[in-house]
Every structure is written in structure tokens, then in C-alpha cells.
């Protein structure tokens, strides 16, 4: 026993087995080098209450009030836009198939034999279009604003555009009614509502520029929103059995 107690003990550092970089230090280095790949970067963007999301959604359906940035209060979020986009994807897929089913049913009642089948390609197509427009167009819009001298951040523009898209969710549900003129009216309403909401919310920023630059942004917003509508109509609500 005495011999064992007399054996000198060596520390982990003396043996060369001490950890090279603590976990918290490694996380700090990752956050400094590439914060986009850390949870801490996204946590504030999802830290919103139900009341916050509700108020922002209500603002998007009242485009003439144009005080979205006051409601946002310098705290943009991705929670609302993410669920708006995701809900719209599934609504488009479901409403598009329902519209075709009802159209086929009406054709059969008129004596026309048709064979209805679900279009499962609606989901991947809707995902590509909605997420593509939803994340890429705000980036283009924000770059244009910054070129013209605005200090608007990409996350602010992304939040704004995400909530501007919310009006398309109930419109997609109503557009399942297979009446072409009704579908066009509903989709045009959504395009006008979202365009006015975007233009009104950005007007304080746009007012800082000369008229020519201001109308470049306004024209771009209008073109993109109406292009959005035409894609919806021609892909999801085309009455192929009419």
C-alpha cells in the first residue's frame, strides 16, 4: 500500500491529454466565422408571441394603413413568413386538385366523360415557386433598395414580403371554386392587396429617392406580384375540364 501511495500523480496537461478547445470556445469561433450556421443567429427571429404574429397578419390585410414597420417595431421575425409560405404551399396543392375535381364533376353532369386524377406534382411545384419567390425576391428588392441608399436589412424585407403573401392563403381556398372569372377576380385582388401593402410599407424609404428610382421599385413590385398570380392561375386553377 505504501508503494502505491508513493507513486507520483501526473495531471492531464502533463500527460498531453487536455482538451485542445473547449466546446463553448468552439461554438464562439463558429459564431464569429459563420453565424448563419448557428442556432443563436435564428433564435431572435422566431422569438415572437401569438399577438405579434396576429397583429402583423392583420396589417397585411389592411394595405392602406401602411404602418407595418411601426407594428414590427424593429423586431422582424421568420416565424410568421415561414408558416405563411408553408400554408400557402399546401393550400395551393389542395385547392388546385379540388378545383379540377369540381370541374370534372361539372363536365360529367353536362354529359362529357372525363377521367379525373390527382396531380401530385402540385406540391413540389408550389414549394419551388412559393419558397423561391418568398426568399429570393426580397433579396433582390433589398439589394435594389440598398443601391438607392436605403439602410433596410434583408431580414426586414423578408419579413415584410412574407406577411404580404398571407392574403394569398384564403384566396387560394376560395379560388377552388371552378369559375374562371371568379378565380381571376380573387387572384387579382390578392395581387393588388399585396402590392399596395408592400408599396405603402416601403413608401417612407422610397420617399428618400428621386421619382425615377422610386418608380423602379414600385414597378418591380407590381410586376412580380402579378407574375405570381399568373403562375397560380395557369398552373393550379386552369379549368382543363371546362
Amino acid at each position: 500500500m505504501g508503494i502505491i501511495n508513493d507513486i507520483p500523480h501526473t495531471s492531464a496537461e502533463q500527460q498531453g491529454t487536455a482538451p485542445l478547445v473547449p466546446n463553448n470556445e468552439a461554438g464562439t469561433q463558429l459564431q464569429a466565422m459563420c453565424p448563419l450556421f448557428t442556432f443563436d443567429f435564428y433564435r431572435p427571429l422566431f422569438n415572437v408571441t401569438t399577438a405579434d404574429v396576429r397583429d402583423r397578419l392583420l396589417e397585411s390585410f389592411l394595405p392602406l394603413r401602411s404602418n407595418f414597420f411601426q407594428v414590427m417595431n424593429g423586431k422582424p421575425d421568420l416565424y410568421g413568413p415561414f408558416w405563411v409560405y408553408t400554408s400557402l404551399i399546401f393550400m395551393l396543392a389542395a385547392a388546385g386538385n379540388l378545383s379540377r375535381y369540381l370541374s370534372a364533376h361539372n363536365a360529367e353532369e353536362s354529359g362529357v366523360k372525363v377521367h379525373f386524377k390527382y396531380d401530385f406534382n402540385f406540391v413540389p411545384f408550389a414549394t419551388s415557386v412559393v419558397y423561391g419567390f418568398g426568399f429570393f425576391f426580397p433579396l433582390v428588392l433589398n439589394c435594389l433598395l440598398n443601391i438607392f441608399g436605403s439602410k433596410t436589412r434583408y431580414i426586414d424585407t423578408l419579413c415584410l414580403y412574407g406577411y404580404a403573401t398571407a392574403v394569398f392563403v384564403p384566396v387560394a381556398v376560395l379560388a377552388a371554386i371552378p369559375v374562371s372569372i371568379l378565380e381571376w377576380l380573387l387572384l387579382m385582388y390578392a395581387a393588388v392587396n399585396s402590392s399596395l401593402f408592400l408599396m405603402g410599407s416601403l413608401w417612407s424609404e422610397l420617399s428618400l429617392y428621386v421619382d425615377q428610382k422610386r418608380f423602379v421599385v414600385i414597378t418591380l413590385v407590381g410586376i412580380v406580384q402579378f407574375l405570381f398570380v399568373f403562375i397560380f392561375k395557369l398552373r393550379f386553377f386552369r379549368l382543363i375540364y371546362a
Side-chain angles (χ1 to χ4, degrees):
M1 295 295 293
I3 297 175
I4 295 176
N5 291 333
D6 292 337
I7 295 176
H9 297 281
T10 56
S11 64
E13 292 182 355
Q14 292 173 335
Q15 294 176 353
T17 60
L20 297 177
V21 181
N23 291 335
N24 58 346
E25 185 177 343
T28 303
Q29 291 180 352
L30 177 63
Q31 187 173 5
M33 291 186 297
C34 195
L36 289 175
F37 292 100
T38 63
F39 288 108
D40 290 338
F41 178 82
Y42 296 98
R43 187 176 292 114
L45 301 177
F46 288 86
N47 187 23
V48 288
T49 65
T50 303
D52 292 333
V53 176
R54 179 197 62 210
D55 293 343
R56 297 174 187 191
L57 285 173
L58 290 176
E59 284 297 318
S60 69
F61 286 90
L62 301 171
L64 298 181
R65 293 178 58 173
S66 304
N67 61 344
F68 181 79
F69 283 110
Q70 285 82 1
V71 174
M72 191 171 65
N73 195 27
K75 297 179 180 179
D77 73 280
L78 284 182
Y79 181 86
F82 171 77
W83 283 111
V84 167
Y85 294 154
T86 305
S87 300
L88 181 58
I89 289 168
F90 287 101
M91 286 299 177
L92 284 172
N97 278 299
L98 178 60
S99 178
R100 290 192 176 194
Y101 171 78
L102 295 175
S103 178
H105 179 72
N106 292 339
E108 288 180 348
E109 287 189 344
S110 301
V112 180
K113 292 184 178 181
V114 295
H115 176 66
F116 168 77
K117 62 178 181 179
Y118 290 98
D119 192 339
F120 294 101
N121 291 324
F122 277 173
V123 174
F125 185 82
T127 301
S128 301
V129 171
V130 173
Y131 283 149
F133 273 83
F135 288 99
F136 181 70
F137 177 62
L139 178 62
V140 174
L141 181 60
N142 189 76
C143 289
L144 189 61
L145 290 171
N146 290 163
I147 290 173
F148 291 161
S150 171
K151 302 300 182 182
T152 306
R153 301 173 301 170
Y154 170 60
I155 187 59
D156 296 325
T157 312
L158 178 58
C159 180
L160 173 66
Y161 191 77
Y163 283 101
T165 310
V167 68
F168 285 95
V169 177
V171 163
V173 176
L174 296 175
I177 302 172
V179 178
S180 185
I181 185 63
L182 177 62
E183 292 173 348
W184 276 115
L185 288 175
L186 288 169
L187 291 170
M188 286 300 173
Y189 162 75
V192 171
N193 185 95
S194 59
S195 297
L196 290 176
F197 174 69
L198 288 168
M199 295 173 187
S201 299
L202 290 171
W203 191 254
S204 59
E205 290 289 332
L206 297 176
S207 62
L208 301 176
Y209 319 135
V210 295
D211 291 340
Q212 291 83 354
K213 293 181 180 180
R214 183 187 308 173
F215 285 104
V216 167
V217 177
I218 291 176
T219 302
L220 178 63
V221 168
I223 290 174
V224 169
Q225 292 308 98
F226 280 94
L227 177 61
F228 207 39
V229 161
F230 277 102
I231 293 175
F232 285 178
K233 172 59 179 173
L234 297 178
R235 184 65 180 94
F236 300 101
F237 302 109
R238 184 165 56 95
L239 302 182
I240 58 177
Y241 302 119

